[in-house]
Amino acid sequence: MKQKLSIIKIGGNIIEDEKELSHLLELFSQMDGHKILVHGGGKKATEIANKLGIEAKMTNGRRITDAQSLDVAIMVYGGLVNKKIVAQLQAFDCNAIGMSGADGNSIVAHKRPVKEIDFGLVGDVDSINSNNITSLLKAEFTPVFCALTHDNKGQLFNTNADTIAAELASGMSTEFETTLYYCFEKKGVLQSIDDENSVIQHIDSKKYKELLADGIIADGMLPKMHNCFQALQKNVKQVCIGDNTMLQGTNTNFTTLTL
């Protein structure tokens, strides 16, 4: 029987709020079994880039990563944000180890092909080195992955943290029974965007199609949900979406996705 593995992705708004982040990391550290944390840090990267006089380049609301922007991402994701999280987890007796895709050759990617837009140094994931990550978990380390991958030829890439979490969950499902958690500021997927308490507690493939057709899942939720269902199709057991209270074990008011 496979051991259980929880993969938790935390969003930008939680990272920006020190009190909220500390509470989430405490809850994360108390979770039983093997676990992996994945974080972004786009807001902090933009803030530091502005201080350095590096202008964020956007096209249709999506970030373009040039060489200067990538350097900032490496500093902020792999350094500032990652090490602060690792240090806080150590304070909660969770033996965390900071990781990028290059560390232990964990996540190999290629530069996103140019179609209508050249996103620059943005990576699309090719493979997850589940053997090396499993070795860390079995040695009782808790990996904390930032949103950076590499191409095995010396080039780092900026990679969407939601995608990294989904790819890790899929890649590790050969070794573990994996559950993927997306932690953000909402309580879950909402029936009505104006009603915080209208959480849809369970969504399967059929319900997902209905919600898409009705326009209830739209805008920023579209890529997130697409990632979720792709992960489920690659043997991830379930995906949970909600705020940090879903890590408590006693709360059931969040969204669970299954096939």
Side-chain angles (χ1 to χ4, degrees), residues 12 38 82 106 115 119 132 144 153 174 181 208 228:
V38 180
N82 189 269
S106 303
K115 291 179 183 168
F119 284 101
N132 285 4
V144 177
K153 298 170 193 159
T174 53
Y181 295 85
Y208 175 49
C228 292

Side-chain angles (χ1 to χ4, degrees), residues 83-112:
K83 295 310 162 211
K84 281 189 168 183
I85 287 173
V86 168
Q88 279 189 273
L89 285 171
Q90 296 293 356
F92 292 128
D93 289 330
C94 175
N95 197 10
I97 183 166
M99 303 283 286
S100 71
D103 294 292
N105 193 25
S106 303
I107 309 171
V108 178
H110 62 272
K111 182 184 180 297
R112 181 170 296 167

Side-chain angles (χ1 to χ4, degrees), residues 38-236:
V38 180
H39 68 82
K43 286 186 178 177
K44 183 58 81 177
T46 303
E47 183 192 311
I48 300 287
N50 288 340
K51 284 181 183 172
L52 295 170
I54 298 165
E55 191 184 342
K57 295 182 175 69
M58 308 289 278
T59 303
N60 300 337
R62 298 176 77 179
R63 192 187 296 262
I64 307 292
T65 304
D66 61 13
Q68 277 191 312
S69 302
L70 180 67
D71 282 350
V72 173
I74 295 164
M75 288 189 283
V76 175
Y77 303 167
L80 186 64
V81 177
N82 189 269
K83 295 310 162 211
K84 281 189 168 183
I85 287 173
V86 168
Q88 279 189 273
L89 285 171
Q90 296 293 356
F92 292 128
D93 289 330
C94 175
N95 197 10
I97 183 166
M99 303 283 286
S100 71
D103 294 292
N105 193 25
S106 303
I107 309 171
V108 178
H110 62 272
K111 182 184 180 297
R112 181 170 296 167
V114 178
K115 291 179 183 168
E116 294 88 31
I117 300 167
D118 183 354
F119 284 101
L121 296 165
V122 168
D124 289 334
V125 175
D126 291 321
S127 62
I128 300 293
N129 190 331
S130 58
N131 287 345
N132 285 4
I133 299 168
T134 298
S135 297
L136 286 172
L137 293 168
K138 287 188 172 165
E140 301 195 351
F141 287 109
T142 296
V144 177
F145 277 95
C146 67
L148 297 169
T149 56
H150 79 134
D151 67 355
N152 242 336
K153 298 170 193 159
Q155 180 64 57
L156 285 162
F157 295 116
N158 186 0
T159 301
N160 180 281
D162 282 352
T163 305
I164 284 179
E167 293 283 357
L168 277 169
S170 306
M172 297 305 291
S173 66
T174 53
E175 311 271 342
F176 295 92
E177 183 186 286
T178 55
T179 298
L180 175 58
Y181 295 85
Y182 282 112
C183 261
F184 68 152
E185 56 280 3
K186 305 278 185 204
K187 290 180 180 173
V189 179
L190 305 177
Q191 185 76 37
S192 165
I193 197 79
D194 302 319
D195 181 2
E196 282 288 330
N197 294 311
S198 63
V199 174
I200 306 165
Q201 291 195 347
H202 185 240
I203 301 174
D204 58 14
S205 304
K206 183 168 175 276
K207 178 79 170 171
Y208 175 49
K209 284 178 186 145
E210 287 169 15
L211 293 169
L212 280 175
D214 294 341
I216 288 165
I217 292 172
D219 304 326
M221 256 342 248
L222 285 169
K224 197 182 280 285
M225 295 294 280
H226 178 70
N227 274 338
C228 292
F229 275 93
Q230 273 200 320
L232 290 168
Q233 281 156 5
K234 294 178 186 170
N235 298 320
V236 173

